[in-house]
Structure formats: C-alpha cells, structure tokens
Amino acid sequence: MYEKYWQQMGDKTTVVIPGWQYMSYFSDISNICWFLEPEFAKQVVRLHKVVGNAVTDGRHIVVGTGSSQLYLAALFALSPSDASEPISVVSQAPYYSSYPSMTDCLKSGLYKWAGEAQNFSKEGPYIELVTSPNNPDGTARHSVVNRNKGILLHDLAYYWPQYTPISSPADHELMLFTVSKSTGHAGMRIGWAIVKDKEVAKRMTKFVELNTIGVSKDSQIRAAKVLKAVSDPYEHVDDSEVGETFFDFSYHSMAERWKLLREAVEHSGMFSLPKFPPAFCTFFNQVSEPRPAFAWLKCENDIEDCETFLRGHKILTRGGKHFGVGPMYVRVSMLDRDENFIRFVKRLSTIRV
Ligand code: PMP
C-alpha cells in the first residue's frame, strides 16, 4: 500500500553499495549490539523523536532480522535460565496468530505458550505479550494479568500515527518495532528492540549472534535511508523538494480505506466492525479515531464460520480460531495495494443473506 508513496519519492531512498563495502561481520564493537549499524541506530532514535512514540534516551537498541527474530531473542533473554520448567508465555485473545507457533516451534525448555492471558492463574513467573495497537483487532492494549513476577514484552509494531493516535512516548522495559508496518518495507526484514535493561540487551544480542551472527548490513543501510527520508521533511532538511510527508500520505490512505470499508459493511448488512474511541494524537495535534492495519470483521446473521463463508465469495481472510477466539470473526488486511483493496470492498458490499 505504501509502494505508491515510495515511488513518488523517486531516488530519495535509492541505495548503491559497492562490492567492497559492508564486508565485515562487525559494525560497532563498542556497542552491546556489535552488529548494529550506527547510521541505522541514529535514524531509529531520530524517527522516534520526530514521532514521539517511544522513549529512547538511555535505552539499548538491538537490531533484528524483522521483529520476528527479536521476538524469539526476547523470549530467550527474558526466560530464567535455571528454572525447573519452561516459563509460561501468555497474551490476551485475540492475539497475533504467529505467537503460539513461534513460541512452541522448537519445543524450548526455556519458555512455553500458555495461551489466553485472561484465564492465566498459574503461580510464579510468566511472560505477558502486550501488542498495542493489537493485531488482529486494532485495540489499544495494556497488560491484563497484573501480578507481580510478570515480565512484560511490548510489541509496538503498529504504534505509528497512521494507525492510531499517539498518546505519549511509550516507555516500557522491552519494546519491539519493525519497518514492515511503519514504512511498509516488510521485505527488508529489519526490526528493532528498545531495551531498558543492559543484561537483557546483552542476551538478546547473544541470541541473534547464535542464530544468524548479526543482521544484514545492506538491509540496515537501506532501512536507515528510508527512515531518514521519513524524518527529513519534519525537520526541514532539504526544504526545496518536500512533497507530501509519509505520515500524511499513510494517515489519509488509511482513513480513506476505513471509510470505504465501513460503507461496504453498512451496505451489505451482513457484518460488523469494532468501534474505536477517538483520542488526541500528539503527532498530528488533533483528535482522531484509530485506523488499524487489520479489520476484525464479525459475520452476523448466524453465520458460524466466517472464513469459509467469505471464501465462498472470493474473499480470503484468516479465521478467528488462529487468534484464540471463535470462527465468527475473521481478520482482513487493510494494507494491500489499491486495486485489491477496492476489489475487496466491492465484493464485500454486495454480499447479501
Ligand atoms: N508483531 C506483530 C504484531 C505483527 O503483526 C508482525 C507482522 N505481521 C510482526 C510482529 C512481525 O513483523 P516483522 O516483519 O518485523 O518480522
């Protein structure tokens, strides 16, 4: 969906890397995260300052091959290494469908998926995943277990102004971000963690070292260039050529798509969507409603399996059971290219009982 924006930016984000550059494993041996490219780290900090969505002062940054790698690195770093049984990993349903499978795929002795956080009553330590705004339903989330001995992991992949009002700079122990959702460059496979605790940052770095001996420098350099192109207009660098800013473009695109989707849902009468309370956004300096990256659609009229029902109407979605809830819900991506999105809302609006 953001492809159009980056096409308009032309050569602003073109990167040329000669064959002799970025050959070493190492980027900055004085940093805990020794494979973190300094220019990438600089642009991450700068973008968070421009947007005001996360505290970075006095924090450690760990880069990963997508935030997916950092999710596993975080589980490794947060799990007690001397426990007699794996620590429980929980999240409030509906939760991101990859968490259970990523957590249990290697049957680790360190951590184990324990499902829905709201039913979790086991004594002792646990890791709670807090995804805010949430994938799949777009809601603002806080921890729900609320016991001591809980370790929180915040996945803030969607805490960007095109998706949700920015209320304040997030300031949690461990926060995950990714270019996949911020600028749309999922294929670059770059994510970053902002970490308060030095030992946790060291262990996460160790995980990435054992897993992939660092993170592609080519990708970090490219990511730095893209983040720089997002921040520059807000700091009036290169004023001569400022077109539409990235967050203006992405905000307006999301707002337009949500308007079209709500119209289609109303026209059909077969579905419902969550309602989101408006809130003040410190980035845009105005009150607005959330515009999530996914639509959490509910089939009404006693349709029990919404995914199968929609597949029959040539609409591909992911059913509720993948997210820890019932089959009357499905998740639909709001981030496809224009032509596919328009085709989707057209098909949806004409579905009748
Ligand atoms: N967390 C959430 C909540 C996501 O939705 C996604 C992508 N679907 C990820 C993490 C993984 O993103 P990445 O491409 O950075 O690995």
Side-chain angles (χ1 to χ4, degrees):
M1 159 182 182
Y2 304 140
E3 191 177 67
K4 222 164 67 183
Y5 180 81
W6 294 112
Q7 277 167 354
Q8 284 166 23
M9 289 302 107
D11 271 344
K12 274 211 169 82
T13 54
T14 300
V15 177
V16 178
I17 302 178
W20 52 266
Q21 254 186 346
Y22 308 123
M23 292 178 66
S24 165
Y25 283 124
F26 301 98
S27 294
D28 177 5
I29 53 165
S30 68
N31 197 315
I32 288 179
C33 185
W34 51 266
F35 47 80
L36 173 63
E37 277 296 312
E39 178 60 20
F40 174 66
K42 180 178 149 191
Q43 296 301 337
V44 162
V45 168
R46 180 176 177 221
L47 183 61
H48 283 304
K49 289 217 155 77
V50 164
V51 174
N53 62 342
V55 173
T56 53
D57 290 345
R59 306 291 188 272
H60 305 281
I61 294 175
V62 181
V63 64
T65 300
S67 60
S68 300
Q69 187 181 34
L70 294 169
Y71 172 66
L72 293 172
L75 292 186
F76 171 76
L78 297 173
S79 303
S81 51
D82 53 355
S84 57
E85 56 171 5
I87 189 169
S88 298
V89 181
V90 299
S91 189
Q92 183 187 353
Y95 40 71
Y96 175 36
S97 53
S98 292
Y99 290 148
S101 41
M102 289 182 77
T103 308
D104 281 350
C105 81
L106 290 182
K107 302 194 191 309
S108 170
L110 293 176
Y111 48 80
K112 192 173 179 354
W113 180 251
E116 162 66 287
Q118 273 176 323
N119 304 334
F120 184 70
S121 56
K122 194 164 175 243
E123 281 304 309
Y126 60 91
I127 296 173
E128 181 176 353
L129 313 173
V130 181
T131 309
S132 189
N134 191 39
N135 173 358
D137 67 359
T139 54
R141 284 283 179 85
H142 303 280
S143 62
V144 294
V145 183
N146 278 332
R147 286 208 311 259
N148 51 15
K149 295 198 175 159
I151 303 169
L152 299 182
L153 169 47
H154 281 80
D155 186 339
L156 304 187
Y158 303 96
Y159 192 45
W160 294 100
Q162 67 267 46
Y163 304 120
T164 193
I166 302 300
S167 51
S168 62
D171 186 16
H172 307 289
E173 280 292 322
L174 203 170
M175 306 185 276
L176 301 183
F177 289 94
T178 167
V179 292
S180 307
K181 318 299 164 174
S182 49
T183 69
H185 292 85
M188 220 139 62
R189 306 310 303 130
I190 290 289
W192 62 96
I194 301 177
V195 186
K196 265 190 200 173
D197 187 87
K198 191 174 172 179
E199 294 310 312
V200 172
K202 275 190 189 162
R203 277 178 66 78
M204 288 182 72
T205 300
K206 189 70 193 171
F207 179 90
V208 178
E209 180 188 323
L210 295 172
N211 193 217
T212 46
I213 328 183
V215 172
S216 164
K217 287 189 187 185
D218 303 20
S219 282
Q220 291 188 61
I221 294 304
R222 183 168 170 221
K225 189 119 185 201
V226 169
L227 299 189
K228 181 175 184 303
V230 173
S231 293
D232 276 352
Y234 297 105
E235 294 190 331
H236 305 289
V237 178
D238 190 15
D239 249 350
S240 56
E241 284 178 67
V242 176
E244 196 177 13
T245 60
F246 176 72
F247 291 118
D248 274 354
F249 172 90
S250 48
Y251 173 97
H252 289 302
S253 306
M254 291 305 296
E256 176 64 16
R257 285 182 175 208
W258 271 93
K259 184 171 152 276
L260 293 174
L261 177 65
R262 288 200 189 275
E263 283 168 5
V265 163
E266 193 167 323
H267 192 255
S268 161
M270 296 280 290
F271 309 97
S272 62
L273 284 167
K275 289 245 181 312
F276 301 105
F280 186 76
C281 176
T282 56
F283 179 74
F284 286 122
N285 248 315
Q286 63 181 31
V287 173
S288 63
E289 273 175 28
R291 300 151 304 278
F294 295 101
W296 188 233
L297 200 63
K298 186 175 179 216
C299 274
E300 302 290 349
N301 297 316
D302 297 327
I303 295 161
E304 277 175 16
D305 184 340
C306 197
E307 183 179 353
T308 305
F309 176 75
L310 283 170
R311 195 177 311 118
H313 288 87
K314 297 211 270 186
I315 296 174
L316 299 180
T317 61
R318 203 162 163 73
K321 64 177 190 304
H322 298 285
F323 307 92
V325 298
M328 66 291 261
Y329 288 95
V330 294
R331 187 190 78 171
V332 190
S333 171
M334 295 292 283
L335 304 181
D336 208 331
R337 290 195 176 96
D338 279 343
E339 61 195 74
N340 286 342
F341 184 78
I342 296 299
R343 200 171 289 155
F344 155 61
V345 284
K346 273 196 184 140
R347 281 186 192 167
L348 194 76
S349 71
T350 56
I351 297 175
R352 293 284 182 285
V353 193

